[in-house]
Amino acid sequence: MPENKEGVKSVIAVCNEVMTTKVLFIDRKIQKLLEEIARCPEVYNLVSDCLNVFNRDKEYDRAFSISNSGKGTFILPKEEVKVIALAFCILGDINSRVINLDELVAKFFTDEDGRKDYNMFMQKIVVPFRDLISEAFNVSSNVTTVESIEEMETAEAEPEEEMEEEEEESRLGKPRFNFEDSEDLDRIFDLSKDIASQIYELLIYERKQNDEVLDSQYIVNSIVIACDKKDFEQLYSLVMGLKYVSKSIRDIRFLVKEMADLVKAQLYAN
């Protein structure tokens, strides 16, 4: 039977999507990648063949090690078969919550200053997996999804003022928050929850239920949970994430801006 090159290209495209997505959505994109692999018999059979000669526990012990100083290190196996199997197992364990991605990166993928480096995780796990599949089926490793292209075009078209605003935020370091009293904080949670509920209603009836809309629904649900928990730092992060993800959803644009302005009013820097 001829190879299904389009199916292979789709797997590679989603690998690239995983590598370029925001940290907040990596879990969702990994799930999408595993689903794409399951839909492509060629890649699925290749991975299965690699797993048949793979000792999971033994290779995990070899790949993940901790020095006497407590620093974690990740080393890929030399054999290509083991690289494919190991990468697939790690991604599968992240998707099934056997491994917590944030904890994994914090322990084994850090920069010289000990900070989490998600790009290192991508370069050491997703890139080799993608490149070996690309090589096995003689398909370009630069394939991208329509969704990724749209995200890049949106980023390139971003208004200059907003880009300058985000650059300024990035220079603030870890945000700190200022509240006059607990009543002020409770008011923010109540208002944010009310706005989030309005946004969710609009998203449900959004005509085009694409990944952007579904991601926005997920974030809005998390915003409500953060409000119930009265976790302002989590609320702030989620609202800023929603602001980025939902840029092209016109019906909720003003509500998102209203909520973002509400929480950003509490952000200050010395």
Side-chain angles (χ1 to χ4, degrees), residues 213-250:
V213 172
L214 294 176
D215 288 344
S216 296
Q217 289 178 3
Y218 179 83
I219 296 175
V220 170
N221 271 324
S222 299
I223 286 173
V224 172
I225 293 171
C227 290
D228 288 338
K229 290 166 56 181
K230 299 189 182 301
D231 186 335
F232 188 85
E233 291 196 21
Q234 184 180 26
L235 171 63
Y236 178 86
S237 299
L238 289 166
V239 172
M240 293 304 109
L242 179 63
K243 182 181 176 183
Y244 176 85
V245 169
S246 65
K247 282 180 179 178
S248 67
I249 308 176
R250 294 183 179 181

PDB file of all heavy atoms in Angstrom, residues 213-250:
ATOM      1  N   VAL A 213     -11.702  29.120  20.062  1.00  0.00           N
ATOM      2  CA  VAL A 213     -12.916  29.249  20.871  1.00  0.00           C
ATOM      3  C   VAL A 213     -12.899  28.240  22.019  1.00  0.00           C
ATOM      4  O   VAL A 213     -13.224  28.570  23.165  1.00  0.00           O
ATOM      5  CB  VAL A 213     -14.175  29.055  20.004  1.00  0.00           C
ATOM      6  CG1 VAL A 213     -15.428  29.001  20.881  1.00  0.00           C
ATOM      7  CG2 VAL A 213     -14.296  30.181  18.988  1.00  0.00           C
ATOM      8  N   LEU A 214     -12.500  27.007  21.719  1.00  0.00           N
ATOM      9  CA  LEU A 214     -12.461  25.969  22.754  1.00  0.00           C
ATOM     10  C   LEU A 214     -11.416  26.300  23.814  1.00  0.00           C
ATOM     11  O   LEU A 214     -11.650  26.109  25.024  1.00  0.00           O
ATOM     12  CB  LEU A 214     -12.162  24.610  22.115  1.00  0.00           C
ATOM     13  CG  LEU A 214     -13.250  24.076  21.173  1.00  0.00           C
ATOM     14  CD1 LEU A 214     -12.790  22.772  20.525  1.00  0.00           C
ATOM     15  CD2 LEU A 214     -14.557  23.867  21.914  1.00  0.00           C
ATOM     16  N   ASP A 215     -10.250  26.795  23.396  1.00  0.00           N
ATOM     17  CA  ASP A 215      -9.220  27.201  24.358  1.00  0.00           C
ATOM     18  C   ASP A 215      -9.728  28.337  25.237  1.00  0.00           C
ATOM     19  O   ASP A 215      -9.474  28.367  26.452  1.00  0.00           O
ATOM     20  CB  ASP A 215      -7.949  27.652  23.624  1.00  0.00           C
ATOM     21  CG  ASP A 215      -7.185  26.488  23.002  1.00  0.00           C
ATOM     22  OD1 ASP A 215      -7.459  25.334  23.396  1.00  0.00           O
ATOM     23  OD2 ASP A 215      -6.334  26.723  22.132  1.00  0.00           O
ATOM     24  N   SER A 216     -10.450  29.269  24.627  1.00  0.00           N
ATOM     25  CA  SER A 216     -10.993  30.402  25.382  1.00  0.00           C
ATOM     26  C   SER A 216     -12.013  29.928  26.410  1.00  0.00           C
ATOM     27  O   SER A 216     -12.045  30.414  27.541  1.00  0.00           O
ATOM     28  CB  SER A 216     -11.642  31.411  24.428  1.00  0.00           C
ATOM     29  OG  SER A 216     -10.677  31.980  23.565  1.00  0.00           O
ATOM     30  N   GLN A 217     -12.856  28.948  26.019  1.00  0.00           N
ATOM     31  CA  GLN A 217     -13.817  28.395  26.967  1.00  0.00           C
ATOM     32  C   GLN A 217     -13.102  27.761  28.156  1.00  0.00           C
ATOM     33  O   GLN A 217     -13.518  27.922  29.318  1.00  0.00           O
ATOM     34  CB  GLN A 217     -14.701  27.353  26.271  1.00  0.00           C
ATOM     35  CG  GLN A 217     -15.699  27.921  25.293  1.00  0.00           C
ATOM     36  CD  GLN A 217     -16.514  26.837  24.605  1.00  0.00           C
ATOM     37  OE1 GLN A 217     -16.364  25.656  24.909  1.00  0.00           O
ATOM     38  NE2 GLN A 217     -17.352  27.235  23.671  1.00  0.00           N
ATOM     39  N   TYR A 218     -12.036  27.044  27.858  1.00  0.00           N
ATOM     40  CA  TYR A 218     -11.261  26.387  28.923  1.00  0.00           C
ATOM     41  C   TYR A 218     -10.681  27.423  29.887  1.00  0.00           C
ATOM     42  O   TYR A 218     -10.751  27.265  31.111  1.00  0.00           O
ATOM     43  CB  TYR A 218     -10.137  25.557  28.294  1.00  0.00           C
ATOM     44  CG  TYR A 218      -9.254  24.863  29.291  1.00  0.00           C
ATOM     45  CD1 TYR A 218      -9.623  23.642  29.853  1.00  0.00           C
ATOM     46  CD2 TYR A 218      -8.034  25.422  29.681  1.00  0.00           C
ATOM     47  CE1 TYR A 218      -8.813  23.004  30.782  1.00  0.00           C
ATOM     48  CE2 TYR A 218      -7.219  24.791  30.608  1.00  0.00           C
ATOM     49  CZ  TYR A 218      -7.612  23.582  31.146  1.00  0.00           C
ATOM     50  OH  TYR A 218      -6.822  22.957  32.060  1.00  0.00           O
ATOM     51  N   ILE A 219     -10.129  28.496  29.339  1.00  0.00           N
ATOM     52  CA  ILE A 219      -9.536  29.542  30.181  1.00  0.00           C
ATOM     53  C   ILE A 219     -10.608  30.229  31.023  1.00  0.00           C
ATOM     54  O   ILE A 219     -10.399  30.504  32.212  1.00  0.00           O
ATOM     55  CB  ILE A 219      -8.793  30.583  29.322  1.00  0.00           C
ATOM     56  CG1 ILE A 219      -7.612  29.932  28.607  1.00  0.00           C
ATOM     57  CG2 ILE A 219      -8.287  31.733  30.192  1.00  0.00           C
ATOM     58  CD1 ILE A 219      -6.892  30.861  27.650  1.00  0.00           C
ATOM     59  N   VAL A 220     -11.755  30.523  30.402  1.00  0.00           N
ATOM     60  CA  VAL A 220     -12.837  31.194  31.132  1.00  0.00           C
ATOM     61  C   VAL A 220     -13.309  30.328  32.304  1.00  0.00           C
ATOM     62  O   VAL A 220     -13.560  30.828  33.402  1.00  0.00           O
ATOM     63  CB  VAL A 220     -14.009  31.514  30.176  1.00  0.00           C
ATOM     64  CG1 VAL A 220     -15.230  31.982  30.969  1.00  0.00           C
ATOM     65  CG2 VAL A 220     -13.597  32.600  29.186  1.00  0.00           C
ATOM     66  N   ASN A 221     -13.430  29.027  32.081  1.00  0.00           N
ATOM     67  CA  ASN A 221     -13.777  28.119  33.186  1.00  0.00           C
ATOM     68  C   ASN A 221     -12.759  28.206  34.309  1.00  0.00           C
ATOM     69  O   ASN A 221     -13.097  28.224  35.491  1.00  0.00           O
ATOM     70  CB  ASN A 221     -13.852  26.673  32.677  1.00  0.00           C
ATOM     71  CG  ASN A 221     -15.239  26.305  32.182  1.00  0.00           C
ATOM     72  OD1 ASN A 221     -16.229  26.743  32.729  1.00  0.00           O
ATOM     73  ND2 ASN A 221     -15.302  25.508  31.143  1.00  0.00           N
ATOM     74  N   SER A 222     -11.485  28.261  33.935  1.00  0.00           N
ATOM     75  CA  SER A 222     -10.407  28.350  34.923  1.00  0.00           C
ATOM     76  C   SER A 222     -10.443  29.679  35.659  1.00  0.00           C
ATOM     77  O   SER A 222     -10.090  29.756  36.842  1.00  0.00           O
ATOM     78  CB  SER A 222      -9.050  28.166  34.234  1.00  0.00           C
ATOM     79  OG  SER A 222      -8.961  26.892  33.624  1.00  0.00           O
ATOM     80  N   ILE A 223     -10.855  30.734  34.970  1.00  0.00           N
ATOM     81  CA  ILE A 223     -10.979  32.053  35.606  1.00  0.00           C
ATOM     82  C   ILE A 223     -12.036  31.998  36.709  1.00  0.00           C
ATOM     83  O   ILE A 223     -11.834  32.532  37.806  1.00  0.00           O
ATOM     84  CB  ILE A 223     -11.329  33.130  34.558  1.00  0.00           C
ATOM     85  CG1 ILE A 223     -10.102  33.445  33.699  1.00  0.00           C
ATOM     86  CG2 ILE A 223     -11.853  34.403  35.230  1.00  0.00           C
ATOM     87  CD1 ILE A 223     -10.381  34.370  32.538  1.00  0.00           C
ATOM     88  N   VAL A 224     -13.161  31.365  36.427  1.00  0.00           N
ATOM     89  CA  VAL A 224     -14.227  31.229  37.431  1.00  0.00           C
ATOM     90  C   VAL A 224     -13.705  30.466  38.648  1.00  0.00           C
ATOM     91  O   VAL A 224     -13.961  30.837  39.796  1.00  0.00           O
ATOM     92  CB  VAL A 224     -15.460  30.517  36.826  1.00  0.00           C
ATOM     93  CG1 VAL A 224     -16.483  30.193  37.921  1.00  0.00           C
ATOM     94  CG2 VAL A 224     -16.095  31.390  35.752  1.00  0.00           C
ATOM     95  N   ILE A 225     -12.941  29.401  38.394  1.00  0.00           N
ATOM     96  CA  ILE A 225     -12.374  28.604  39.493  1.00  0.00           C
ATOM     97  C   ILE A 225     -11.400  29.451  40.310  1.00  0.00           C
ATOM     98  O   ILE A 225     -11.400  29.409  41.545  1.00  0.00           O
ATOM     99  CB  ILE A 225     -11.660  27.354  38.936  1.00  0.00           C
ATOM    100  CG1 ILE A 225     -12.687  26.404  38.315  1.00  0.00           C
ATOM    101  CG2 ILE A 225     -10.878  26.640  40.038  1.00  0.00           C
ATOM    102  CD1 ILE A 225     -12.070  25.243  37.548  1.00  0.00           C
ATOM    103  N   ALA A 226     -10.557  30.238  39.633  1.00  0.00           N
ATOM    104  CA  ALA A 226      -9.601  31.099  40.326  1.00  0.00           C
ATOM    105  C   ALA A 226     -10.322  32.125  41.196  1.00  0.00           C
ATOM    106  O   ALA A 226      -9.873  32.452  42.306  1.00  0.00           O
ATOM    107  CB  ALA A 226      -8.696  31.806  39.310  1.00  0.00           C
ATOM    108  N   CYS A 227     -11.452  32.643  40.708  1.00  0.00           N
ATOM    109  CA  CYS A 227     -12.244  33.605  41.481  1.00  0.00           C
ATOM    110  C   CYS A 227     -12.831  32.936  42.719  1.00  0.00           C
ATOM    111  O   CYS A 227     -12.838  33.515  43.810  1.00  0.00           O
ATOM    112  CB  CYS A 227     -13.356  34.195  40.621  1.00  0.00           C
ATOM    113  SG  CYS A 227     -12.776  35.318  39.320  1.00  0.00           S
ATOM    114  N   ASP A 228     -13.328  31.715  42.547  1.00  0.00           N
ATOM    115  CA  ASP A 228     -13.893  30.983  43.691  1.00  0.00           C
ATOM    116  C   ASP A 228     -12.811  30.675  44.730  1.00  0.00           C
ATOM    117  O   ASP A 228     -13.072  30.697  45.940  1.00  0.00           O
ATOM    118  CB  ASP A 228     -14.537  29.676  43.220  1.00  0.00           C
ATOM    119  CG  ASP A 228     -15.848  29.918  42.468  1.00  0.00           C
ATOM    120  OD1 ASP A 228     -16.456  30.996  42.663  1.00  0.00           O
ATOM    121  OD2 ASP A 228     -16.258  29.030  41.696  1.00  0.00           O
ATOM    122  N   LYS A 229     -11.612  30.389  44.254  1.00  0.00           N
ATOM    123  CA  LYS A 229     -10.492  30.101  45.159  1.00  0.00           C
ATOM    124  C   LYS A 229      -9.874  31.373  45.724  1.00  0.00           C
ATOM    125  O   LYS A 229      -9.022  31.320  46.596  1.00  0.00           O
ATOM    126  CB  LYS A 229      -9.420  29.304  44.409  1.00  0.00           C
ATOM    127  CG  LYS A 229      -9.825  27.887  44.070  1.00  0.00           C
ATOM    128  CD  LYS A 229      -8.880  27.259  43.052  1.00  0.00           C
ATOM    129  CE  LYS A 229      -7.446  27.284  43.498  1.00  0.00           C
ATOM    130  NZ  LYS A 229      -6.548  26.691  42.467  1.00  0.00           N
ATOM    131  N   LYS A 230     -10.257  32.525  45.153  1.00  0.00           N
ATOM    132  CA  LYS A 230      -9.691  33.834  45.527  1.00  0.00           C
ATOM    133  C   LYS A 230      -8.178  33.855  45.343  1.00  0.00           C
ATOM    134  O   LYS A 230      -7.424  34.363  46.182  1.00  0.00           O
ATOM    135  CB  LYS A 230     -10.086  34.194  46.968  1.00  0.00           C
ATOM    136  CG  LYS A 230     -11.593  34.309  47.164  1.00  0.00           C
ATOM    137  CD  LYS A 230     -11.943  34.869  48.520  1.00  0.00           C
ATOM    138  CE  LYS A 230     -13.462  34.938  48.727  1.00  0.00           C
ATOM    139  NZ  LYS A 230     -14.129  35.781  47.716  1.00  0.00           N
ATOM    140  N   ASP A 231      -7.747  33.288  44.224  1.00  0.00           N
ATOM    141  CA  ASP A 231      -6.327  33.255  43.864  1.00  0.00           C
ATOM    142  C   ASP A 231      -6.076  34.334  42.810  1.00  0.00           C
ATOM    143  O   ASP A 231      -6.302  34.122  41.623  1.00  0.00           O
ATOM    144  CB  ASP A 231      -5.960  31.864  43.332  1.00  0.00           C
ATOM    145  CG  ASP A 231      -4.474  31.703  43.069  1.00  0.00           C
ATOM    146  OD1 ASP A 231      -3.779  32.716  42.839  1.00  0.00           O
ATOM    147  OD2 ASP A 231      -3.994  30.556  43.084  1.00  0.00           O
ATOM    148  N   PHE A 232      -5.597  35.495  43.256  1.00  0.00           N
ATOM    149  CA  PHE A 232      -5.487  36.617  42.332  1.00  0.00           C
ATOM    150  C   PHE A 232      -4.363  36.429  41.317  1.00  0.00           C
ATOM    151  O   PHE A 232      -4.505  36.797  40.150  1.00  0.00           O
ATOM    152  CB  PHE A 232      -5.284  37.935  43.080  1.00  0.00           C
ATOM    153  CG  PHE A 232      -5.362  39.117  42.164  1.00  0.00           C
ATOM    154  CD1 PHE A 232      -6.593  39.669  41.853  1.00  0.00           C
ATOM    155  CD2 PHE A 232      -4.237  39.646  41.564  1.00  0.00           C
ATOM    156  CE1 PHE A 232      -6.692  40.737  40.969  1.00  0.00           C
ATOM    157  CE2 PHE A 232      -4.324  40.705  40.684  1.00  0.00           C
ATOM    158  CZ  PHE A 232      -5.549  41.255  40.386  1.00  0.00           C
ATOM    159  N   GLU A 233      -3.241  35.884  41.731  1.00  0.00           N
ATOM    160  CA  GLU A 233      -2.134  35.697  40.787  1.00  0.00           C
ATOM    161  C   GLU A 233      -2.543  34.765  39.652  1.00  0.00           C
ATOM    162  O   GLU A 233      -2.216  34.989  38.491  1.00  0.00           O
ATOM    163  CB  GLU A 233      -0.890  35.171  41.510  1.00  0.00           C
ATOM    164  CG  GLU A 233      -0.259  36.198  42.433  1.00  0.00           C
ATOM    165  CD  GLU A 233       1.161  35.813  42.831  1.00  0.00           C
ATOM    166  OE1 GLU A 233       1.789  35.014  42.115  1.00  0.00           O
ATOM    167  OE2 GLU A 233       1.634  36.320  43.857  1.00  0.00           O
ATOM    168  N   GLN A 234      -3.275  33.706  39.986  1.00  0.00           N
ATOM    169  CA  GLN A 234      -3.767  32.787  38.952  1.00  0.00           C
ATOM    170  C   GLN A 234      -4.784  33.498  38.063  1.00  0.00           C
ATOM    171  O   GLN A 234      -4.768  33.343  36.840  1.00  0.00           O
ATOM    172  CB  GLN A 234      -4.402  31.564  39.598  1.00  0.00           C
ATOM    173  CG  GLN A 234      -4.841  30.515  38.581  1.00  0.00           C
ATOM    174  CD  GLN A 234      -5.469  29.299  39.230  1.00  0.00           C
ATOM    175  OE1 GLN A 234      -6.010  29.385  40.328  1.00  0.00           O
ATOM    176  NE2 GLN A 234      -5.414  28.170  38.559  1.00  0.00           N
ATOM    177  N   LEU A 235      -5.663  34.288  38.682  1.00  0.00           N
ATOM    178  CA  LEU A 235      -6.657  35.049  37.914  1.00  0.00           C
ATOM    179  C   LEU A 235      -5.968  35.978  36.931  1.00  0.00           C
ATOM    180  O   LEU A 235      -6.336  36.031  35.745  1.00  0.00           O
ATOM    181  CB  LEU A 235      -7.542  35.854  38.871  1.00  0.00           C
ATOM    182  CG  LEU A 235      -8.496  36.866  38.217  1.00  0.00           C
ATOM    183  CD1 LEU A 235      -9.508  36.159  37.326  1.00  0.00           C
ATOM    184  CD2 LEU A 235      -9.199  37.704  39.285  1.00  0.00           C
ATOM    185  N   TYR A 236      -4.968  36.687  37.399  1.00  0.00           N
ATOM    186  CA  TYR A 236      -4.248  37.633  36.532  1.00  0.00           C
ATOM    187  C   TYR A 236      -3.631  36.909  35.342  1.00  0.00           C
ATOM    188  O   TYR A 236      -3.775  37.334  34.186  1.00  0.00           O
ATOM    189  CB  TYR A 236      -3.164  38.346  37.336  1.00  0.00           C
ATOM    190  CG  TYR A 236      -2.344  39.306  36.511  1.00  0.00           C
ATOM    191  CD1 TYR A 236      -2.766  40.605  36.304  1.00  0.00           C
ATOM    192  CD2 TYR A 236      -1.151  38.896  35.913  1.00  0.00           C
ATOM    193  CE1 TYR A 236      -2.038  41.480  35.527  1.00  0.00           C
ATOM    194  CE2 TYR A 236      -0.414  39.768  35.135  1.00  0.00           C
ATOM    195  CZ  TYR A 236      -0.857  41.061  34.955  1.00  0.00           C
ATOM    196  OH  TYR A 236      -0.141  41.927  34.172  1.00  0.00           O
ATOM    197  N   SER A 237      -2.953  35.795  35.598  1.00  0.00           N
ATOM    198  CA  SER A 237      -2.292  35.046  34.523  1.00  0.00           C
ATOM    199  C   SER A 237      -3.304  34.535  33.501  1.00  0.00           C
ATOM    200  O   SER A 237      -3.072  34.604  32.291  1.00  0.00           O
ATOM    201  CB  SER A 237      -1.506  33.868  35.109  1.00  0.00           C
ATOM    202  OG  SER A 237      -0.511  34.318  35.999  1.00  0.00           O
ATOM    203  N   LEU A 238      -4.423  34.026  33.979  1.00  0.00           N
ATOM    204  CA  LEU A 238      -5.447  33.487  33.084  1.00  0.00           C
ATOM    205  C   LEU A 238      -6.087  34.577  32.228  1.00  0.00           C
ATOM    206  O   LEU A 238      -6.328  34.383  31.034  1.00  0.00           O
ATOM    207  CB  LEU A 238      -6.525  32.769  33.895  1.00  0.00           C
ATOM    208  CG  LEU A 238      -6.108  31.436  34.538  1.00  0.00           C
ATOM    209  CD1 LEU A 238      -7.130  30.997  35.571  1.00  0.00           C
ATOM    210  CD2 LEU A 238      -5.929  30.356  33.471  1.00  0.00           C
ATOM    211  N   VAL A 239      -6.351  35.726  32.836  1.00  0.00           N
ATOM    212  CA  VAL A 239      -6.963  36.817  32.080  1.00  0.00           C
ATOM    213  C   VAL A 239      -6.021  37.313  30.989  1.00  0.00           C
ATOM    214  O   VAL A 239      -6.436  37.581  29.859  1.00  0.00           O
ATOM    215  CB  VAL A 239      -7.356  37.982  33.022  1.00  0.00           C
ATOM    216  CG1 VAL A 239      -7.799  39.197  32.215  1.00  0.00           C
ATOM    217  CG2 VAL A 239      -8.483  37.544  33.952  1.00  0.00           C
ATOM    218  N   MET A 240      -4.723  37.412  31.309  1.00  0.00           N
ATOM    219  CA  MET A 240      -3.758  37.831  30.295  1.00  0.00           C
ATOM    220  C   MET A 240      -3.645  36.781  29.178  1.00  0.00           C
ATOM    221  O   MET A 240      -3.482  37.111  28.005  1.00  0.00           O
ATOM    222  CB  MET A 240      -2.379  38.057  30.932  1.00  0.00           C
ATOM    223  CG  MET A 240      -2.320  39.234  31.904  1.00  0.00           C
ATOM    224  SD  MET A 240      -2.856  40.801  31.168  1.00  0.00           S
ATOM    225  CE  MET A 240      -4.447  41.037  32.009  1.00  0.00           C
ATOM    226  N   GLY A 241      -3.764  35.498  29.568  1.00  0.00           N
ATOM    227  CA  GLY A 241      -3.744  34.438  28.563  1.00  0.00           C
ATOM    228  C   GLY A 241      -4.974  34.497  27.668  1.00  0.00           C
ATOM    229  O   GLY A 241      -4.878  34.331  26.447  1.00  0.00           O
ATOM    230  N   LEU A 242      -6.126  34.770  28.271  1.00  0.00           N
ATOM    231  CA  LEU A 242      -7.362  34.893  27.495  1.00  0.00           C
ATOM    232  C   LEU A 242      -7.279  36.064  26.526  1.00  0.00           C
ATOM    233  O   LEU A 242      -7.728  35.980  25.385  1.00  0.00           O
ATOM    234  CB  LEU A 242      -8.553  35.071  28.439  1.00  0.00           C
ATOM    235  CG  LEU A 242      -9.921  35.228  27.771  1.00  0.00           C
ATOM    236  CD1 LEU A 242     -10.287  33.963  26.997  1.00  0.00           C
ATOM    237  CD2 LEU A 242     -10.991  35.551  28.815  1.00  0.00           C
ATOM    238  N   LYS A 243      -6.679  37.139  26.981  1.00  0.00           N
ATOM    239  CA  LYS A 243      -6.534  38.329  26.136  1.00  0.00           C
ATOM    240  C   LYS A 243      -5.753  37.992  24.865  1.00  0.00           C
ATOM    241  O   LYS A 243      -6.083  38.450  23.765  1.00  0.00           O
ATOM    242  CB  LYS A 243      -5.820  39.428  26.918  1.00  0.00           C
ATOM    243  CG  LYS A 243      -5.653  40.732  26.164  1.00  0.00           C
ATOM    244  CD  LYS A 243      -4.916  41.749  27.028  1.00  0.00           C
ATOM    245  CE  LYS A 243      -4.644  43.027  26.245  1.00  0.00           C
ATOM    246  NZ  LYS A 243      -3.857  43.995  27.041  1.00  0.00           N
ATOM    247  N   TYR A 244      -4.735  37.158  25.005  1.00  0.00           N
ATOM    248  CA  TYR A 244      -3.916  36.783  23.850  1.00  0.00           C
ATOM    249  C   TYR A 244      -4.648  35.780  22.953  1.00  0.00           C
ATOM    250  O   TYR A 244      -4.707  35.935  21.736  1.00  0.00           O
ATOM    251  CB  TYR A 244      -2.599  36.175  24.327  1.00  0.00           C
ATOM    252  CG  TYR A 244      -1.738  35.666  23.209  1.00  0.00           C
ATOM    253  CD1 TYR A 244      -0.884  36.515  22.520  1.00  0.00           C
ATOM    254  CD2 TYR A 244      -1.792  34.327  22.822  1.00  0.00           C
ATOM    255  CE1 TYR A 244      -0.113  36.052  21.471  1.00  0.00           C
ATOM    256  CE2 TYR A 244      -1.020  33.852  21.783  1.00  0.00           C
ATOM    257  CZ  TYR A 244      -0.179  34.718  21.110  1.00  0.00           C
ATOM    258  OH  TYR A 244       0.573  34.263  20.069  1.00  0.00           O
ATOM    259  N   VAL A 245      -5.225  34.754  23.562  1.00  0.00           N
ATOM    260  CA  VAL A 245      -5.824  33.651  22.802  1.00  0.00           C
ATOM    261  C   VAL A 245      -7.058  34.087  22.013  1.00  0.00           C
ATOM    262  O   VAL A 245      -7.307  33.611  20.911  1.00  0.00           O
ATOM    263  CB  VAL A 245      -6.190  32.498  23.764  1.00  0.00           C
ATOM    264  CG1 VAL A 245      -7.057  31.460  23.064  1.00  0.00           C
ATOM    265  CG2 VAL A 245      -4.923  31.834  24.284  1.00  0.00           C
ATOM    266  N   SER A 246      -7.832  35.019  22.582  1.00  0.00           N
ATOM    267  CA  SER A 246      -9.136  35.347  22.004  1.00  0.00           C
ATOM    268  C   SER A 246      -9.119  36.572  21.099  1.00  0.00           C
ATOM    269  O   SER A 246     -10.170  37.148  20.818  1.00  0.00           O
ATOM    270  CB  SER A 246     -10.147  35.575  23.136  1.00  0.00           C
ATOM    271  OG  SER A 246      -9.787  36.715  23.901  1.00  0.00           O
ATOM    272  N   LYS A 247      -7.955  36.980  20.623  1.00  0.00           N
ATOM    273  CA  LYS A 247      -7.840  38.227  19.875  1.00  0.00           C
ATOM    274  C   LYS A 247      -8.773  38.327  18.672  1.00  0.00           C
ATOM    275  O   LYS A 247      -9.256  39.403  18.344  1.00  0.00           O
ATOM    276  CB  LYS A 247      -6.396  38.417  19.404  1.00  0.00           C
ATOM    277  CG  LYS A 247      -5.478  38.906  20.503  1.00  0.00           C
ATOM    278  CD  LYS A 247      -4.066  39.090  19.987  1.00  0.00           C
ATOM    279  CE  LYS A 247      -3.165  39.607  21.083  1.00  0.00           C
ATOM    280  NZ  LYS A 247      -1.774  39.753  20.638  1.00  0.00           N
ATOM    281  N   SER A 248      -9.013  37.227  17.996  1.00  0.00           N
ATOM    282  CA  SER A 248      -9.811  37.295  16.768  1.00  0.00           C
ATOM    283  C   SER A 248     -11.299  36.993  16.984  1.00  0.00           C
ATOM    284  O   SER A 248     -12.069  36.949  16.039  1.00  0.00           O
ATOM    285  CB  SER A 248      -9.241  36.323  15.726  1.00  0.00           C
ATOM    286  OG  SER A 248      -9.427  34.990  16.152  1.00  0.00           O
ATOM    287  N   ILE A 249     -11.706  36.786  18.249  1.00  0.00           N
ATOM    288  CA  ILE A 249     -13.122  36.526  18.545  1.00  0.00           C
ATOM    289  C   ILE A 249     -13.783  37.865  18.862  1.00  0.00           C
ATOM    290  O   ILE A 249     -13.735  38.349  19.989  1.00  0.00           O
ATOM    291  CB  ILE A 249     -13.289  35.537  19.717  1.00  0.00           C
ATOM    292  CG1 ILE A 249     -12.461  34.259  19.475  1.00  0.00           C
ATOM    293  CG2 ILE A 249     -14.767  35.161  19.894  1.00  0.00           C
ATOM    294  CD1 ILE A 249     -12.498  33.280  20.628  1.00  0.00           C
ATOM    295  N   ARG A 250     -14.411  38.445  17.886  1.00  0.00           N
ATOM    296  CA  ARG A 250     -14.902  39.819  18.006  1.00  0.00           C
ATOM    297  C   ARG A 250     -15.976  39.998  19.075  1.00  0.00           C
ATOM    298  O   ARG A 250     -16.012  41.013  19.779  1.00  0.00           O
ATOM    299  CB  ARG A 250     -15.455  40.280  16.656  1.00  0.00           C
ATOM    300  CG  ARG A 250     -14.388  40.391  15.584  1.00  0.00           C
ATOM    301  CD  ARG A 250     -14.976  40.930  14.295  1.00  0.00           C
ATOM    302  NE  ARG A 250     -13.957  41.064  13.264  1.00  0.00           N
ATOM    303  CZ  ARG A 250     -14.195  41.534  12.044  1.00  0.00           C
ATOM    304  NH1 ARG A 250     -15.419  41.892  11.707  1.00  0.00           N
ATOM    305  NH2 ARG A 250     -13.211  41.631  11.163  1.00  0.00           N
TER     306      ARG A 250
END
